[in-house]
Amino acid sequence: MLLPTETVYGLGADAANPAAVAAIFEAKGRPRFNPLIAHVHDAATAARIAAFDDRALALAAAFWPGPLTIVAPVRDAAAVCDLARAGLDTVAVRVPGHPLSRAVLAAFGGPVVAPSANRSGRPSPTTFEDAFAETGDKTAAALDGGPCQVGLESTVVAVLDGPVRLLRPGAVTRAQLEAVVGPLAEADDDAKRSPGRLALHYAPDAPVRIEAAAPRAGEAFLAFGSWPDGEAVFNLSPSGDLAEAAANLFAFLRAADRTKPAGIAVAPIPDQGLGEAINDRLRRAAGFVG
Ligand code: TXA
Ligand code: MG
């Protein structure tokens, strides 16, 4: 089922049902080694599926429902089947904030795995139309929740042995996490635990050029801050607001791509707060390892 969340649209299936989970991998063309996030209605359900220590419980209390995913040792391996976890002994869980996904999770009862609804390697869909265009033909049901408020995927942290590790920057910022659990460890040395972090990801068809002061001939331009309007200019946030830019990012990459430009140039985005997650996605769209 196409499922709206506050971050991006997901393609959801019963986490305990290997055939349903296999259909998700198939629909996305997703490599089987890349595990899925189990979405649940509340933190108590999450803590039955995953072994939460005090830090995980504190993060859940601070940020759920909301755009944070917690990776912890799996406790109930049947609730989120092996295929969904890519055979790992850890599981990623998240309590989403969007009322429609919350209603589905409450009615269903069990965990729902939902990767972003794009085909593998493409930008995550942040509107119903984009989600439907990506994988709508592969699913039996589709819920229209309008445009996603956050527009970037959830922050992913691993709460295992040692300090909490940031596996994927997202809407919950580094500073917000550190206020709850202290300094984070980097995940760079840890590709195995973050198997989805492939370099070329979130990529539109046109080549993406980041940190661009101005577009070159033939390029579409994703501006940030004051910039004159023009053909193939998409301003992520005229007022320079990072939350607005995050919400617009994937939809504007897609819109720019639809103009069939020679390339897509993107203005520099400050690396503070939400900017860390925006720049992470842009580096990947441009084909650099983040
Ligand atoms: O905002 C979101 O998180 C969206 C919405 C739909 O909830 N979902 C999403 O799912 O972005 P997906 O599958 O596109 O990204 C899940 C990320 C991948 O990078 C994957 O490798 C990582 O979470 N992940 C899942 N299980 C993991 C685990 N056990 N250990 C480490 N990373 C894991
Ligand atoms: Mg994804």
Side-chain angles (χ1 to χ4, degrees), residues 276-287:
E276 183 178 1
I278 296 172
N279 283 322
D280 170 78
R281 304 309 189 274
L282 284 172
R283 277 195 299 273
R284 287 167 196 283

Side-chain angles (χ1 to χ4, degrees), residues 154-165:
S154 61
T155 304
V156 182
V157 293
V159 187
L160 302 166
D161 297 334
V164 173
R165 279 194 315 264

Side-chain angles (χ1 to χ4, degrees), residues 59 63 68 155-157 164-188 197 271-277 280 283 290:
L59 289 169
F63 300 113
L68 178 70
T155 304
V156 182
V157 293
V164 173
R165 279 194 315 264
L166 182 60
L167 300 184
R168 179 173 75 182
V172 174
T173 64
R174 178 185 292 274
Q176 287 177 304
L177 295 167
E178 291 188 335
V180 177
V181 293
L184 304 177
E186 291 309 319
D188 298 351
R197 315 248 56 212
D271 212 40
Q272 288 91 49
L274 256 179
E276 183 178 1
D280 170 78
R283 277 195 299 273

Side-chain angles (χ1 to χ4, degrees), residues 205-228:
D205 291 333
V208 174
R209 186 169 68 85
I210 57 179
E211 311 273 345
R216 296 175 186 151
E219 279 182 336
F221 189 48
L222 265 53
F224 180 77
S226 77
W227 188 266

Side-chain angles (χ1 to χ4, degrees), residues 36-90:
L36 306 178
I37 296 171
H39 297 68
V40 294
H41 185 260
D42 51 43
T45 310
R48 278 197 295 276
I49 293 168
F52 274 11
D53 66 12
D54 288 348
R55 300 169 302 170
L57 291 171
L59 289 169
F63 300 113
W64 281 352
L68 178 70
T69 294
I70 299 176
V71 173
V74 65
R75 241 176 113 178
D76 182 350
V80 182
C81 67
D82 264 6
L83 179 58
R85 287 181 285 106
L88 298 174
D89 54 8
T90 56

Side-chain angles (χ1 to χ4, degrees), residues 28 30 115-116 118 124 153 168 201-202:
K28 282 181 59 84
R30 179 173 174 121
S116 48
N118 52 287
S124 296
E153 304 84 353
R168 179 173 75 182
H201 208 93
Y202 308 105

